[in-house]
Amino acid sequence: MEKSKNKTIGDFGEKQAQKYLRKNKYKILCTNYRQKYGEIDIIAEKDNYIVFVEVKTRDENCRYAPVYAVTKTKQTKLMKTAYIYLKEYPTNKNIRFDIIEIIYSGKKVNSINHIKNAFIQGGTYGSF
């Protein structure tokens, strides 16, 4: 079965985000962590943080910033999924929810925007 175009683009973006995180000294703990509420693209660790990363990949001609695709509903699903992960893998580290935006054209990455602490409990964006 052939992958959908969106899945292929999403996989490309996630691979680019992983490269970016590794280059910036993050340790990748898990990718595509799935539970009943949803999926977390990347779970990483750096310093005293466990970081739950949502990756959004968009073509350079897209009208809206990729971050706007992370709605309050999506944020709630991510937080519930992260809670299950933390029950499964307890930690004393701080937790953070980041969004990585990948803008591309063709097979080339134009930009990577790492929004740290992008949202918090309650569904508001932390840094814009």
Side-chain angles (χ1 to χ4, degrees):
M1 189 166 143
E2 192 177 319
K3 277 195 214 176
S4 75
K5 182 179 179 193
N6 286 350
K7 175 85 173 111
T8 302
I9 291 166
D11 289 350
F12 168 76
E14 287 176 28
K15 289 209 180 350
Q16 298 306 314
Q18 287 174 44
K19 280 187 204 174
Y20 165 87
L21 289 168
R22 284 191 184 100
K23 185 175 145 191
N24 286 281
K25 310 279 191 262
Y26 286 79
K27 177 183 176 189
I28 307 292
L29 301 176
C30 184
T31 58
N32 305 114
Y33 178 79
R34 279 186 177 75
Q35 287 296 335
K36 64 182 176 182
Y37 296 111
E39 178 184 1
I40 297 173
D41 295 329
I42 302 170
I43 302 171
E45 180 178 17
K46 184 176 181 183
D47 302 326
N48 200 33
Y49 282 91
I50 299 293
V51 185
F52 298 96
V53 182
E54 178 67 10
V55 180
K56 289 297 175 194
T57 308
R58 296 291 184 269
D59 180 86
E60 67 181 347
N61 297 319
C62 185
R63 287 187 187 170
Y64 304 102
V67 70
Y68 292 118
V70 187
T71 61
K72 286 187 180 187
T73 301
K74 177 69 173 173
Q75 291 172 29
T76 300
K77 288 179 180 180
L78 288 166
M79 286 185 270
K80 286 179 176 179
T81 305
Y83 178 75
I84 293 170
Y85 177 87
L86 293 167
K87 283 190 70 121
E88 196 175 337
Y89 304 99
T91 182
N92 291 325
K93 293 183 182 266
N94 297 309
I95 65 162
R96 193 174 80 206
F97 293 91
D98 292 3
I99 297 171
I100 294 182
E101 298 178 310
I102 307 286
I103 306 296
Y104 74 95
S105 60
K107 293 189 189 237
K108 180 178 155 277
V109 173
N110 291 5
S111 67
I112 295 177
N113 181 25
H114 184 181
I115 305 166
K116 296 177 183 173
N117 226 17
F119 58 90
I120 55 174
Q121 189 72 40
T124 54
Y125 288 106
S127 44
F128 263 55

